[in-house]
Amino acid sequence: MTWLNIVIEGALIGGFYALFACGLSLMFGVMKVINLAHGDFAVVAAYIAVFLVPHLHVPEVLSFLVVVPIFGVVGYVIQRTLIQRSIDKDPFTTLLVTFGLSVVIENLLLLSYSANGQVVNIGSVAYNSWHPGSIFYLSYVSLVVLGSSVAVLGALQLFLSKTGLGRQIRAVADDQEAAQLSGTNYRHIFGVAAAIAFATVALAGIAYGMMTQFSPTSGGINLLFAFEAVVIGGIGSLWGTLVGGILLGIAQQLGAHFNPQYQVLGGNILFLVVLALRPQGLFGKKSALA
Amino acid sequence: MSEALLEVSHLVVYHGQLCAVDDVSLRVEEGEIFAVIGANGAGKSTLLRSIAGLHVPKSGAVRFKGRDLAGLAPHRRVALGMSLVPEGRRLFSSMTLEENLQVGARGGRKGVFTLERIYELFDWMPARRRQTAWQFSGGEQQAIALGRALLTNPDLLMVDELSLGLAPIVIDRIYALVPEIVAHGVSVLIIEQDVARGVSVAGHVHCLLEGRTSLAGRPDELTSEQIEAAYFGASAVPMREALP
Amino acid sequence: MSSELISLETISVRRSTHSPVSSLVGVTVLVGVLTAAPWIFPQGFVSILVNFFVLLIMATMWNLLAGYAGMVSIGQQAFVGVGGYAVLYFALKGVSPFAAVPIAAVVGGVIAVPVTYLLFRLRGGYFAIATWVVADTALIIVGTISLLGGGTGHLVPGFTSLSPTQLDHYAYLETWAVALIVVAGTYLLLRSRMGLALAAIRDNEVAARSAGINVARTRRLIFVIAAAGCATAGAVLTLSQTYVQPTNEFSLQWAAEMLFVSMIGGLGTIEGPILGCIIFFALQQGLAGQGAWYLVILGSVAVIVALWQPRGIWGAVRDRYGVELLPVGHWVGSGAKLDN
């Protein structure tokens, strides 16, 4: 039964990793940008949920209703100003700029809120769980987060495949120039992709805060996991990211099973193995590689 | 003289340090089929791409329907009624035939060209509309790219290397469509490496040699010797004399 | 089109903008002063110099990787840690820590070789994060080795025979010597054929390949050199700190610092990291005791510089005044400089 527990725990956290990672994957697919500050924006969303949203008399558990749309707009603006500017220079500059942003954000959070762990207050639900057959221990929060992740990913996939705007996003991702020649304003599309990325990462950040403690440096470690999930599942595939996230979660649980210190290591090892044996990931296209 | 649909004046475009287009001027009138010919590297693609807005010229002007296009992004030029089918077709490889066409339809203007009209023009398309772009042959991809550009309902359709890499039969079929496209009110500017083909279909021919205009005029006013000389350069030995 | 043939005799290739003699004199004076530092300057300043050199070594190596070979890494701290722990390991075995420094460099280089086979499967941002995964993995693994002190760290043995003053002086001198070797070595490397190959790869990889340059092998070599260099940085750091701990040696902060310093100073130049380090330490002294603020400011400055002056501050100075202290480029005739 321990094995089943490991798999289930892994799957639960895996859904979250996928939600966290889909923005990263989208931004890379569409504008070939790796946003190294991706994780930190998630943490900012969590901090806003805990410290600023209550001023609006909105309960923390519903904070995402406020924060997610705001982050979408913020994402659009940041993309069309800061990030577009660095894209226009070269991919190098974008990496450096987003890394710089990451460090600045983390340290600003540290200065503002200290290194203490925070939690998004959702009341007693946080401690409740489901005990099917008295064997498994599935926390409500994790289940809801997993369900939401799958729902969001599904909605995103539908949006990309069925709507005109979604088609334009995919077109720009395939061939930016040809999309321009077909009348698509690629900078606007970049903005939309960033808006989606920021919105999903805000949701992921708040979800994280509901599941566990977070601190200014939480963004970094989650970026690592998001990235590992994307690579394991395959660069360029949304559902691949979900599978990658789940496999990562399971690998981490396996590591923790041997020694609590090995939790992260378990995931790192799976990542390195995939990199060695099948670098394009499980569902990825070979074109994304070197 | 009535205003030309497209007027390029003394255009100079650089590729890094290389001058790719050197003081080129041309006029495309409404309802015309205009062919740009020249050897590889003569600057034809760069010329079209600059007109479409993908390259910023060093100097010179491009006027479309009387309006100066300087500083206008490519997608804005599409909105004005100019569409370029780029070299190599450049379809969206992860998307289906229909999705490729739909992107064109969404990005451009409304007009006589609708998805249904394109499906009538290319009657083999409806049956395969859900197939992914990379599954089609070169000729079929060219047709899809053409359809995608037509769906933006341009007044000027530019095609870079219409026949490159295609079998003669396929080229014939595509060229058979050109008069029909013009009949819909679209002017056509094509780059064609096959000189005979370009000369036979166009009302106006413009030859580029190393970035400069070497010859311009109506095909019926030009001799094949003139065209040969303009294509290869005046110092080249005429083909007929070179061969035994 | 008329063509003019340029007479080959009228073309000359120069390696610097001014007489190298003036550079040589300046450098000799500087080297003399820095070598005599423990006896000229107060110990407080000498300590700052030690940290300055450590960061300079890291920044020069990072610059070699990113500015010249085009590989952005945020995981070099893996090798900093390897260097530090190599010194600990050999010190535990009875080797003098001072002698262990070059050994640490070799260890760093050797470990880097298999790592490249994994990392080189990725490019750009994915490569960058993967380097971080490697560093993170190293951090965790070392933290579980109890022989090396595990998570709490370990005191580095082998210093007991020295007085505190002697320790400070020797630590400083060795750090200074290593920094000099690393910077001078990098300078010579970039002026050599390797440097030309790197510039070619950076400008146009396909063209470089068709000119016969083995791109993958060149990149691998640079990565290994950079790893060895960062290992020496970690090694000399332990000489002054005399204590190693995973969270310190493998800290992501090293990555941030070497990156920011290089960006601000100027990527793709030798002088850039030097200038960047000077600015960094000036800032740190100015903001002494402000904790995380200096990283915020440093990071912000780095971002601003990257967006508005991508060639860094030294790049701006160089472009405006045509000054070149440690030239690695080539000038043809009197015309446009072939950028390096």
Side-chain angles (χ1 to χ4, degrees):
Chain A
M1 275 310 140
T2 334
W3 296 106
L4 205 47
N5 256 325
I6 288 177
V7 170
I8 291 178
E9 286 291 325
L12 285 181
I13 197 73
F16 162 74
Y17 287 154
L19 180 66
F20 205 97
C22 72
L24 195 72
S25 188
L26 193 64
M27 280 188 76
F28 183 72
V30 177
M31 36 246 209
K32 314 292 178 273
V33 161
I34 304 274
N35 181 2
L36 291 177
H38 184 77
D40 299 287
F41 282 111
V43 175
V44 170
Y47 271 99
I48 293 179
V50 172
F51 289 100
L52 299 180
V53 167
H55 292 300
L56 299 171
H57 302 294
V58 173
E60 283 181 40
V61 67
L62 292 176
S63 54
F64 65 91
L65 289 173
V66 170
V67 179
V68 169
I70 293 179
F71 261 66
V73 171
V74 165
Y76 187 89
V77 170
I78 290 184
Q79 166 58 39
R80 294 215 58 175
T81 53
L82 221 59
I83 301 182
Q84 186 64 55
R85 216 198 145 95
S86 60
I87 292 176
D88 288 339
K89 298 238 184 288
D90 54 58
F92 213 63
T93 308
T94 315
L95 269 179
L96 301 177
V97 164
T98 56
F99 183 71
L101 264 178
S102 164
V103 172
V104 167
I105 292 175
E106 280 186 21
N107 283 282
L108 278 176
L109 284 175
L110 206 57
L111 289 165
S112 314
Y113 297 111
S114 86
N116 293 338
Q118 314 285 347
V119 196
V120 175
N121 189 354
I122 51 175
S124 56
V125 172
Y127 309 107
N128 293 352
S129 57
W130 187 36
H131 291 284
S134 308
I135 305 172
F136 305 115
Y137 185 82
L138 306 166
S139 84
Y140 282 150
V141 179
S142 305
L143 283 170
V144 169
V145 169
L146 174 64
S148 314
S149 304
V150 174
V152 168
L153 284 170
L156 189 57
Q157 190 63 50
L158 267 176
F159 167 74
L160 287 175
S161 44
K162 298 279 182 237
T163 66
L165 188 56
R167 272 190 292 268
Q168 279 185 310
I169 291 177
R170 282 189 293 145
V172 169
D174 272 354
D175 191 332
Q176 183 188 310
E177 238 182 37
Q180 282 182 279
L181 295 175
S182 304
T184 301
N185 183 351
Y186 83 96
R187 280 163 194 247
H188 171 65
I189 297 297
F190 279 4
V192 172
I196 296 174
F198 273 66
T200 53
V201 97
L203 188 63
I206 294 177
Y208 186 76
M210 290 180 183
M211 293 191 299
T212 178
Q213 270 198 342
F214 63 91
S215 68
T217 50
S218 302
I221 196 70
N222 280 301
L223 174 71
L224 209 71
F225 298 153
F227 164 71
E228 290 181 333
V230 171
V231 169
I232 293 171
I235 298 173
S237 164
L238 264 187
W239 290 123
T241 306
L242 180 61
V243 172
I246 291 174
L247 288 175
L248 179 69
I250 294 174
Q252 289 183 335
Q253 291 301 309
L254 260 173
H257 184 71
F258 289 111
N259 183 332
Q261 271 191 307
Y262 291 167
Q263 181 168 348
V264 173
L265 190 64
N268 288 4
I269 290 178
L270 175 63
F271 164 78
L272 292 172
V273 165
V274 169
L275 199 59
L277 301 179
R278 197 186 153 86
Q280 70 268 35
L282 293 171
F283 301 101
K285 312 173 206 166
K286 270 219 151 121
S287 55
L289 299 174
Chain B
M1 182 158 68
S2 64
E3 204 171 60
L5 181 65
L6 174 74
E7 183 167 354
V8 175
S9 322
H10 303 288
L11 201 66
V12 176
V13 185
Y14 273 79
H15 250 163
Q17 287 178 343
L18 175 74
C19 184
V21 176
D22 196 351
D23 193 20
V24 170
S25 303
L26 57 87
R27 287 171 66 97
V28 178
E29 308 290 344
E30 261 183 63
E32 196 170 46
I33 300 178
F34 192 106
V36 175
I37 60 176
N40 262 335
K44 314 186 297 293
S45 270
T46 312
L47 175 64
L48 249 61
R49 287 165 62 91
S50 306
I51 297 173
L54 289 174
H55 291 307
V56 177
K58 181 134 191 252
S59 63
V62 176
R63 301 184 83 85
F64 185 65
K65 296 193 221 175
R67 180 183 162 159
D68 190 349
L69 297 183
L72 217 55
H75 69 275
R76 291 248 143 81
R77 301 188 190 206
V78 172
L80 282 180
M82 172 196 288
S83 196
L84 170 66
V85 180
E87 190 181 355
R89 287 124 232 168
R90 308 279 291 273
L91 294 183
F92 305 121
S93 48
S94 74
M95 297 166 76
T96 66
L97 185 158
E98 182 154 283
E99 287 175 333
N100 265 274
L101 296 178
Q102 283 172 317
V103 173
R106 184 185 166 94
R109 313 184 298 176
K110 296 275 168 281
V112 62
F113 286 107
T114 61
L115 202 57
E116 289 71 33
R117 192 77 194 87
I118 298 296
Y119 282 156
E120 279 167 37
L121 256 165
F122 303 97
D123 53 19
W124 55 268
M125 281 192 185
R128 304 179 63 185
R129 56 217 257 213
R130 301 213 193 285
Q131 285 192 323
T132 333
W134 57 265
Q135 293 176 314
F136 292 92
S137 71
E140 290 164 341
Q141 288 191 4
Q142 185 67 295
I144 300 172
L146 215 58
R148 181 178 64 183
L150 285 172
L151 277 162
T152 64
N153 282 291
D155 292 321
L156 174 67
L157 176 72
M158 300 190 287
V159 189
D160 192 343
E161 297 292 4
L162 187 55
S163 59
L164 195 62
L166 302 180
I169 278 193
V170 176
I171 301 176
D172 285 342
R173 255 191 254 139
I174 293 188
Y175 265 100
L177 288 166
V178 174
E180 197 171 338
I181 291 172
V182 177
H184 276 90
V186 182
S187 313
V188 177
L189 169 62
I190 51 173
I191 287 181
E192 189 46 83
Q193 253 203 38
D194 181 344
V195 179
R197 186 77 73 158
V199 165
S200 69
V201 72
H204 211 102
V205 158
H206 197 104
C207 187
L208 287 186
L209 177 67
E210 288 172 2
R212 296 224 192 90
T213 303
S214 54
L215 187 70
R218 306 182 55 77
D220 47 11
E221 291 165 7
L222 305 170
T223 67
S224 43
E225 289 94 342
Q226 277 178 302
I227 295 176
E228 241 175 66
Y231 192 103
F232 293 106
S235 51
V237 177
M239 280 273 279
R240 274 185 315 238
E241 288 173 18
L243 298 169
Chain C
M1 169 171 86
S2 64
S3 52
E4 298 127 351
L5 282 174
I6 305 170
S7 157
L8 281 173
E9 292 101 61
T10 64
I11 296 179
S12 59
V13 181
R14 290 178 294 122
R15 298 303 308 273
S16 74
T17 51
H18 55 275
S19 159
V21 174
S22 46
S23 276
L24 214 54
V25 170
V27 166
T28 316
V29 169
L30 194 61
V31 168
V33 168
L34 287 173
T35 311
W39 294 275
I40 307 179
F41 300 113
Q43 181 53 33
F45 184 69
V46 175
S47 292
I48 294 175
L49 274 181
V50 170
N51 289 324
F52 173 85
F53 289 133
V54 168
L55 187 58
L56 179 61
I57 296 170
M58 290 194 227
T60 304
M61 292 293 94
W62 193 87
N63 194 19
L64 183 66
L65 256 184
Y68 284 97
M71 300 182 263
V72 174
S73 161
I74 50 176
Q76 289 309 97
Q77 64 272 24
F79 299 106
V80 171
V82 162
Y85 272 90
V87 168
L88 171 66
Y89 179 78
F90 286 103
L92 287 172
K93 297 288 177 208
V95 177
S96 156
F98 295 99
V101 170
I103 305 177
V106 173
V107 171
V110 165
I111 290 182
V113 175
V115 170
T116 60
Y117 284 96
L118 272 178
L119 287 178
F120 282 16
R121 291 179 180 269
L122 298 171
R123 278 294 171 85
Y126 283 91
F127 171 85
I129 307 186
T131 59
W132 188 21
V133 175
V134 167
D136 195 55
T137 307
L139 168 74
I140 298 174
I141 291 179
V142 169
T144 62
I145 302 177
S146 48
L147 171 73
L148 299 174
T152 42
H154 203 295
L155 198 65
V156 178
F159 296 120
T160 44
S161 58
L162 300 166
S163 74
T165 327
Q166 278 179 313
L167 177 58
D168 285 337
H169 285 180
Y170 291 162
Y172 169 82
L173 285 172
E174 181 150 4
T175 308
W176 159 230
V178 170
L180 187 62
I181 294 172
V182 166
V183 173
T186 307
Y187 177 58
L188 291 172
L189 178 76
L190 291 171
R191 278 185 72 102
S192 72
R193 280 178 80 112
M194 172 68 76
L196 204 52
L198 282 176
I201 295 173
R202 202 181 51 186
D203 283 347
N204 189 330
E205 195 172 311
V206 176
R209 221 172 257 145
S210 43
I213 297 175
N214 187 333
V215 175
R217 200 177 59 190
T218 309
R219 281 217 169 106
R220 182 158 287 132
L221 185 60
I222 295 297
F223 189 89
V224 168
I225 291 175
C230 287
T232 59
V236 293
L237 187 64
T238 61
L239 295 180
S240 25
Q241 291 187 340
T242 68
Y243 192 90
V244 286
Q245 195 182 24
T247 47
N248 182 48
E249 314 306 304
F250 292 100
S251 167
L252 186 65
Q253 191 144 318
W254 295 126
E257 288 180 2
M258 64 177 98
L259 190 146
F260 289 159
V261 154
S262 299
M263 271 167 77
I264 295 175
L267 277 175
T269 63
I270 302 274
E271 306 91 324
I274 300 176
L275 182 60
C277 285
I278 293 175
I279 295 175
F280 173 85
F281 278 95
L283 253 179
Q284 202 179 37
Q285 293 311 303
L287 293 166
Q290 301 283 9
W293 273 115
Y294 88 93
L295 266 182
V296 171
I297 294 179
L298 198 69
S300 309
V301 172
V303 169
I304 292 170
V305 167
L307 289 177
W308 273 271
Q309 188 57 260
R311 296 173 70 84
I313 296 185
W314 178 254
V317 167
R318 192 171 73 159
D319 287 344
R320 250 193 109 197
Y321 300 109
V323 169
E324 197 94 28
L325 289 179
L326 297 169
V328 294
H330 298 72
W331 284 264
V332 174
S334 57
K337 172 184 168 210
L338 293 176
D339 226 339
N340 212 22

